[in-house]
Amino acid sequence: MKITTAVIWLVAALVIARGRRPMLLVCAIAFAAGFVWTEYADSIRQTGPLTRLFSSSTLTTWTLGAPLDRIDPTLWALWIWHLTPLGVIGLIGLVFIRAVPGDRRLWVLSTIAMALAYAVFPTLFAQHSYYAVAVSPAVALLLGAAWRGAILARPRRFVLIATAALAVGTFAVSLPKWIVAFGPADPDHELVSAAQIQAATSPTDRVLIIGRDYSPAILFYADRQGIALPLAASVTDLPADLVAGYRRFDCGIDRAGDCVAITP
């Protein structure tokens, strides 16, 4: 579990703990473990010329975003778009939640976790679609509550038809995501770039990829070892002896897959 995932669930758990000492103790241990691990990971990252760019202290703004990001409609739209394949449209059924008897702590926990996810890490959840997995249990729990509430408050046939319609609508709206995930898609032209790199180099060459941030995709598909230079760094940030002999290529995403060899 990533520390950013643990934080939203642990804070949500603390909110509903209400003085339960065992639960508070578990949360405290988890927070302590996360802090120790982060400190240890940062100490490792500080030893490398590239990895130190990704230590916790240098990524604060990227991780937490700016204050106004929390009310940015563009980021909200991206976040909802990433949640769509999880069936978030079905949460409309929560209007019937008052009809559901019993303990609602799980639903409260889920609601708090989702609210915290966007309140604390707006840019992460908006920029990275896979971050939606962190709140997928919350969506599942709330969908279950919504469905049960609707079943108790409305005719079963109506609920089943509405559920089927929402399921079909969810699939239709999120179809572009499924195509990218499972179809023969290459939106960033990584396969094209990889084919060029593979043709221009030998298996023993070390390759430096510029213009694709720290993504290893081109190196992976080209079956080459090397370095993907982060956009926040330049070649001069690297020790000269580290990249000596590397074949260098500018594969900027704006080149539509065309990689240009660079002479050191």
Side-chain angles (χ1 to χ4, degrees):
M1 177 185 291
K2 296 184 69 171
I3 190 66
T4 47
T5 301
V7 165
I8 60 177
W9 285 100
L10 287 173
V11 172
L14 284 174
V15 172
I16 67 170
R18 294 181 182 178
R20 294 180 177 86
R21 291 185 179 180
M23 192 171 184
L24 292 173
L25 179 61
V26 169
C27 290
I29 293 174
F31 271 118
F35 176 79
V36 171
W37 171 255
T38 301
E39 289 295 306
Y40 171 72
D42 277 345
S43 70
I44 298 297
R45 284 191 283 259
Q46 288 296 334
T47 62
L50 291 180
T51 53
R52 70 168 60 103
L53 297 172
F54 301 99
S55 62
S56 300
S57 58
T58 59
L59 293 178
T60 301
T61 301
W62 167 249
T63 302
L64 301 178
L68 292 180
D69 286 340
R70 286 143 183 87
I71 57 174
D72 187 333
T74 301
L75 295 186
W76 271 95
L78 284 171
W79 190 48
I80 294 173
W81 169 241
H82 296 327
L83 290 175
T84 300
L86 300 179
V88 71
I89 298 174
L91 295 184
I92 190 174
L94 289 175
V95 297
F96 304 114
I97 196 69
R98 61 183 179 277
V100 183
D103 190 352
R104 302 180 183 179
R105 281 180 299 174
L106 278 179
W107 307 327
V108 173
L109 175 69
S110 300
T111 302
I112 294 174
M114 290 189 67
L116 283 173
Y118 194 78
V120 180
F121 307 113
T123 54
L124 294 182
F125 277 86
Q127 297 294 333
H128 301 299
S129 59
Y130 62 87
Y131 262 78
V133 175
V135 294
S136 58
V139 175
L141 286 166
L142 291 173
L143 282 174
W147 193 81
R148 187 182 178 202
I151 282 288
L152 294 176
R154 291 291 184 270
R156 185 178 296 267
R157 183 177 179 182
F158 168 81
V159 175
L160 292 177
I161 293 174
T163 300
L166 288 172
V168 172
T170 294
F171 180 76
V173 171
S174 59
L175 186 59
K177 281 186 171 291
W178 298 116
I179 291 175
V180 171
F182 299 104
D186 185 21
D188 295 328
H189 310 289
E190 291 166 336
L191 296 179
V192 176
S193 298
Q196 291 185 8
I197 297 299
Q198 192 173 55
T201 61
S202 66
T204 57
D205 285 335
R206 298 297 178 95
V207 180
L208 178 66
I209 300 295
I210 300 171
R212 290 301 184 104
D213 210 5
Y214 50 83
S215 171
I218 293 176
L219 291 169
F220 175 79
Y221 290 121
D223 194 22
R224 296 291 184 267
Q225 294 185 354
I227 297 173
L229 188 68
L231 295 177
S234 65
V235 178
T236 56
D237 292 324
L238 302 175
D241 58 340
L242 176 65
V243 293
Y246 271 62
R247 301 285 303 278
R248 305 180 185 187
F249 293 88
D250 183 352
C251 300
I253 199 168
D254 58 329
R255 296 182 180 277
D258 186 31
C259 292
V260 178
I262 300 175
T263 302

